[in-house]
Amino acid sequence: MKLNKIMFNSVGVMTALIAGSSMAGEVGNITGDSITAPPPPPVESGGGILAGTGIEGSVSGGFDSTYVFRGQDFGDNLAWGALDLSKDLGNGLAINIGAWYASLFEDPFTELDLYAGIEQSFGPVTLGLGYTYYWYGQDGGSYTQEVGASAKYTLPFVPIDLKLSYFYDIEEVNNGSYLQLHAGYKQDL
């Protein structure tokens, strides 16, 4: 979607923000001349506000030297940040919500995208439906909305995804519809 992107995933930062730790302890036992230290607190994982919910989150940010979205050049020197949350509902069904905010350094252009989607996986094939609300802050603010559908196929034996997506602009600001073909490769570091 965006060209010349430098992306910084901050999953660790998000985890630190939403995860807590248990610091519950006991007072030591004092008997005669000896003092018994309290036992160490139990080690818990994810004691924060999302603990036990199965919700995963990430925070990311970056800089684009040129902001080109679906063939339209919006300008140069774009800084952006995003928050994404997802939940696996089981049996290959997952939902996600998120927000993406961007601003150009040398122009009053700002953009806020709010989005939600649902995906169903059938082995190597994943089908999805989504909704995005685009708000543009310059000139008093304007907005548009779109719905989309996608089909993704993950190749066997290599981590490459092929995805075909169709988007329909409800407000018809961006010529009504857009078809996108995507190929992606993931490599854990």
Side-chain angles (χ1 to χ4, degrees):
M1 282 185 172
K2 291 141 185 92
L3 301 177
N4 303 325
K5 184 184 295 183
I6 300 171
M7 185 169 160
F8 304 97
N9 266 332
S10 301
V11 176
V13 172
M14 182 64 175
T15 302
L17 290 174
I18 61 176
S21 64
S22 173
M23 295 305 291
E26 300 175 7
V27 175
N29 186 10
I30 302 175
T31 56
D33 295 332
S34 65
I35 300 175
T36 306
V43 176
E44 295 182 17
S45 62
I49 60 173
L50 298 180
T53 64
I55 297 173
E56 295 182 4
S58 68
V59 175
S60 57
F63 173 80
D64 295 336
S65 58
T66 302
Y67 178 31
V68 177
F69 180 65
R70 297 189 180 154
Q72 183 174 353
D73 186 341
F74 284 88
D76 295 330
N77 301 318
L78 179 87
W80 60 270
L83 170 66
D84 293 291
L85 300 173
S86 63
K87 175 149 177 77
D88 183 353
L89 300 175
N91 296 321
L93 185 63
I95 58 173
N96 64 72
I97 61 170
W100 183 83
Y101 179 79
S103 180
L104 293 174
F105 284 113
E106 301 159 1
D107 191 301
F109 177 87
T110 59
E111 178 180 338
L112 173 65
D113 302 348
L114 303 174
Y115 44 89
I118 187 165
E119 290 184 333
Q120 177 67 54
S121 294
F122 304 95
V125 175
T126 302
L127 303 176
L129 295 173
Y131 167 83
T132 304
Y133 175 88
Y134 298 93
W135 180 79
Y136 305 99
Q138 69 281 3
D139 302 325
S142 62
Y143 71 93
T144 190
Q145 305 172 70
E146 76 179 11
V147 292
S150 64
K152 178 176 73 172
Y153 177 71
T154 302
L155 297 174
F157 311 113
V158 290
I160 295 177
D161 295 330
L162 302 175
K163 185 174 183 179
L164 180 65
S165 302
Y166 174 77
F167 303 96
Y168 178 74
D169 191 329
I170 298 169
E171 306 295 325
E172 296 190 25
V173 170
N174 297 320
N175 297 324
S177 62
Y178 187 83
L179 188 64
Q180 176 178 312
L181 179 61
H182 167 85
Y185 175 82
K186 291 184 180 181
Q187 177 64 47
D188 292 333
L189 298 176

